[in-house]
Amino acid sequence: MNLAFVVHPFKPSSLRAVAQVGRLTAGTRHSVRLWAPALDALCGRQDYAGEADGWARSDDVRDADAVVAMGGDGTLLQAVRLIQGADLPLLGINLGSLGFLTDTPEDLLDTALGHLLDGSYRLDRRMLLEARCETPGGVPIRVVGLNDVVVHGPRARVLEVDVRIGGASLGRTLADGVIVATPSGSTAYSLSAGGPVVSPALAALVFTPISPHTLSQRPLVVSADEEIEIVLQRTASERAELTVDGQPVVDMNVGDRLVVGRAPRDLALVVTRERTFYDTLCTKLGWGHRGRSGG
């Protein structure tokens, strides 16, 4: 198997994890490549001691049979952008702390990689978003993301948008911004903004206003078959920023139109252990834990 690795180069344990993968695959028929920018950054660390020596460079991870992201959720989201909609299995190894998406901890790296290499794993299909930003007379910009699409004003300035869902008007929203999230992204920015937790087994979109100026305006869960259309009507500085999975995409000007819907292809997340979404919620959010009583 040909594996491409996307590694967070500055996590304290990144070099250790790379060296571990090298030992596991040495002398096997499997080939490992490291995404070129991550390889350069790792080799440039002051504490580098040859852990990535012998690794091949990968300029395009889509040439691999499977992709492994080692870092945190941000690293996995970066791998999703690099895959760009290709139907490749993606395994996330958590080298950090929280990790909703990269749920396999570093101490299970050997086991998870072994399952990936021998094919004893299942795929968790996760819905992806496709955002299309249209400017009057311009060429539409299309971006795919796993977690969310966000429109917000610069420096937390208020903006006004016209919103339509499934062709029906919701009127105008006055807020610090708006979020359109997938079920996977419902536990990210949307949750912090007061949105609901949605099981990734559902095909849905979550529309969450950020600090809306009308208190009756609440988050809304809609079918993934519907598109959400957002037209920028007014901002304090006549522009807003569009981000996808936390990464800036383009500045939006008054009159620009954003259409968000389900992407044509889902993401194939590799699952190598029996752990449910609800197990992750309880672990990461501390649900159901009781303090010790005295006596």
Side-chain angles (χ1 to χ4, degrees), residues 3-271:
L3 297 181
F5 284 76
V6 180
V7 180
H8 191 308
F10 304 116
K11 291 281 186 182
S13 58
S14 293
L15 289 173
R16 181 176 65 235
V18 166
Q20 188 174 352
V21 171
R23 290 192 297 270
L24 289 170
T25 56
T28 70
R29 67 184 186 280
H30 306 292
S31 65
V32 292
R33 296 182 296 154
L34 193 55
W35 184 50
L39 177 59
D40 293 339
L42 281 170
C43 294
R45 283 176 47 164
Q46 290 186 347
D47 57 344
Y48 180 70
E51 290 87 350
D53 287 357
W55 279 66
R57 298 170 63 88
S58 175
D59 294 308
D60 188 347
V61 301
R62 292 173 298 176
D63 292 338
D65 298 315
V67 177
V68 182
M70 297 198 302
D73 283 356
T75 307
L76 188 137
L77 292 173
Q78 183 179 51
V80 172
R81 290 191 293 274
L82 294 173
I83 291 173
Q84 294 181 18
D87 192 17
L88 289 174
L90 173 60
L91 171 65
I93 303 296
N94 185 13
L95 304 183
S97 54
L98 188 57
F100 266 95
L101 299 171
T102 50
D103 191 46
T104 301
E106 183 186 357
D107 58 5
L108 293 179
L109 171 58
D110 288 23
T111 302
L113 193 58
H115 285 309
L116 178 62
L117 293 175
D118 66 21
S120 58
Y121 61 87
R122 65 179 176 87
L123 292 177
D124 181 9
R125 295 282 177 178
R126 295 292 185 97
M127 176 186 145
L128 293 171
L129 288 172
E130 181 177 82
R132 184 175 75 251
C133 186
E134 302 172 348
T135 60
V139 177
I141 298 173
R142 294 178 182 267
V143 188
V144 172
L146 173 60
N147 267 0
D148 49 39
V149 173
V150 182
V151 180
H152 57 89
R155 298 180 298 278
R157 302 294 293 274
V158 68
L159 54 79
E160 186 175 358
V161 295
D162 186 37
V163 180
R164 300 181 71 87
I165 298 181
S169 174
L170 262 64
R172 293 198 174 183
T173 295
L174 190 66
D176 288 355
V178 292
I179 304 167
V180 181
T182 64
S184 296
S186 70
T187 53
Y189 192 5
S190 177
L191 181 62
S192 298
V197 175
V198 180
S199 167
L202 298 178
L205 296 171
V206 182
F207 176 77
T208 307
I210 304 170
S211 301
H213 287 223
T214 302
L215 295 181
S216 61
Q217 196 158 25
R218 311 308 302 159
L220 182 63
V221 180
V222 303
S223 168
D225 294 329
E226 298 179 293
E227 289 187 327
I228 298 179
E229 178 184 335
I230 299 166
V231 179
L232 184 61
Q233 297 292 344
R234 178 172 62 89
T235 75
S237 62
E238 299 305 315
R239 68 177 181 85
E241 186 175 42
L242 169 64
T243 62
V244 176
D245 286 349
Q247 298 299 308
V249 174
V250 69
D251 283 342
M252 292 182 63
N253 298 305
V254 171
D256 287 355
R257 175 174 177 264
L258 175 68
V259 180
V260 184
R262 184 174 189 169
R265 181 174 290 169
D266 293 340
L267 176 69
L269 274 182
V270 172
V271 179

Side-chain angles (χ1 to χ4, degrees), residues 274-284:
E274 291 305 317
R275 183 175 174 83
T276 70
F277 170 70
Y278 306 104
D279 293 330
T280 302
L281 282 182
C282 290
T283 301
K284 305 301 183 181

